[in-house]
Amino acid sequence: YARERSRFRRDLELIYARGYRPVTISQVLDRKIDLPRGLSPVVFVFDDASPGQFKYIERNGKLEVDPGSGVGIWLDFKKTKPDWPNSAVFCMLSGAAVGRSFFGEKNIEGQKSEWRFPKVKFLADNGFELCDHTLWHANLSKYSDAVVQEQIARGVLAIDSAVPGYKVRTFALPLGVWPKNRALAKQGSWTDPKSGKVTRYNFDAILEVSGGPTESPHDPKFNPLSINRIEVFGMELEKTLDRLDKNGSRYVSDGNPATVAKPAPVVAKP
Ligand SMILES: [Zn+2]
C-alpha cells in the first residue's frame, strides 16, 4: 500500500497537531512510552522497503536522502519539530521483486544495489527500528514449515548483514497471513545449505496488517504476538483519531513514567 507524498506530509502534520508523538514497537514492548503530559503515542510502520520509502540521490559523488521519499519527508518534517523523534519502524523485504529489496536495486527508480545496506544502516544509526517482513513477501499459509522459516530467517540474516549484531524484535506478517504452524511466526531457524550457517529468530512482537488501534502494553488484553494496525488510506486516520477521542480509549500520558496511563496507542501503517 502506498501513500501519496503530499498526503503523507499532511498525515504527519495532522497527527502532530492532534497531540501524538511517534514511538517504536520496542518502546511499546518495554513500556517505555515516556511522553510529556497530555500527549499520546503513535507507532508509524512502513512495510515492504519499497524505493519510494527511502531514496538516495547522488550529487557531486555524495549520497543525499531524496526529499521526496518517505524518509526524506519524515526528516524534513522533523526539522521544524524538535519533539518529533525518529521513532518509526521499517518492516523490510530483503529480496522481493520491483525493487522491494531494502529500498531499491538494479537502478529501479534510480536506486543502486550497493545503496541497500547503507540505507538500512542509516535507519538503525538514526534511531529507527528495523523489523523483518520476510525475504519476498510469501503468503506464509501456503508453504511448508521449512520454507516459512527460510523466508523469515533470511530477512533477519539480511538485516544482520547490513547492521551486524542487530537484534530484530519485530516481525510483520506478509498480507497479515499466519503460517499453518503459527508458532513459526515467532520462533524458528534456517540452515543455509551452501554455508551450513544456522540463522535463528525469536521475535518479541508480531504485527497484523489491520484490525484497528492496539491496546496499551499496560492492558492485560495486550498481546505483543498479535498487534493490530490501522491501514492509512482515504480518511481512515482522521476517523480513527476521532473515534479514539470520542470513546475515551485514547492513551494520554500523565507525564509520569512511573504511573500507568489509559489504553490505546495507535499503530498506523503509511
Ligand atoms: Zn507487506
Side-chain angles (χ1 to χ4, degrees), residues 47-230:
D47 279 9
D48 298 353
S50 63
Q53 289 175 0
F54 188 176
K55 276 188 198 170
Y56 274 148
I57 34 179
E58 214 166 5
R59 205 168 275 155
N60 307 320
K62 279 185 121 183
L63 290 180
E64 290 170 18
V65 178
D66 184 335
S69 66
V71 172
I73 292 167
W74 178 283
L75 294 175
D76 183 62
F77 177 76
K78 189 180 148 56
K79 275 184 201 156
T80 56
K81 308 279 191 298
D83 60 342
W84 185 266
N86 282 337
S87 302
V89 183
F90 286 84
C91 296
M92 303 175 295
L93 302 169
S94 54
V98 288
R100 277 151 179 78
S101 165
F102 285 171
F103 312 104
E105 58 175 351
K106 299 172 188 160
N107 239 6
I108 293 167
E109 297 186 47
Q111 301 304 290
K112 295 188 178 168
S113 300
E114 63 264 34
W115 296 348
R116 291 182 304 157
F117 284 6
K119 284 178 181 175
V120 175
K121 186 155 189 322
F122 175 93
L123 293 175
D125 287 348
N126 284 280
F128 295 102
E129 179 176 348
L130 308 180
C131 153
D132 185 14
H133 196 35
T134 74
L135 179 62
W136 49 252
H137 218 270
N139 177 335
L140 296 180
S141 71
K142 295 193 169 161
Y143 291 91
S144 67
D145 288 359
V147 172
V148 166
Q149 290 174 90
E150 177 180 355
Q151 275 282 328
I152 299 172
R154 286 180 68 179
V156 167
L157 181 61
I159 292 172
D160 189 71
S161 302
V163 189
Y166 189 92
K167 168 86 177 94
V168 183
R169 301 181 67 186
T170 306
F171 172 58
L173 292 163
L175 313 164
V177 174
W178 288 83
K180 281 174 284 218
N181 182 353
R182 285 174 73 110
L184 293 179
K186 171 169 170 54
Q187 193 174 356
S189 69
W190 171 70
T191 306
D192 184 338
K194 280 186 231 149
S195 66
K197 187 185 166 180
V198 181
T199 301
R200 293 173 211 286
Y201 60 87
N202 187 359
F203 302 116
D204 299 326
I206 297 173
L207 307 183
E208 307 274 359
V209 82
S210 58
T214 184
E215 290 89 14
S216 151
H218 302 289
D219 186 326
K221 285 196 293 249
F222 174 71
N223 177 6
L225 299 180
S226 171
I227 296 178
N228 287 332
R229 297 194 279 177
I230 299 150

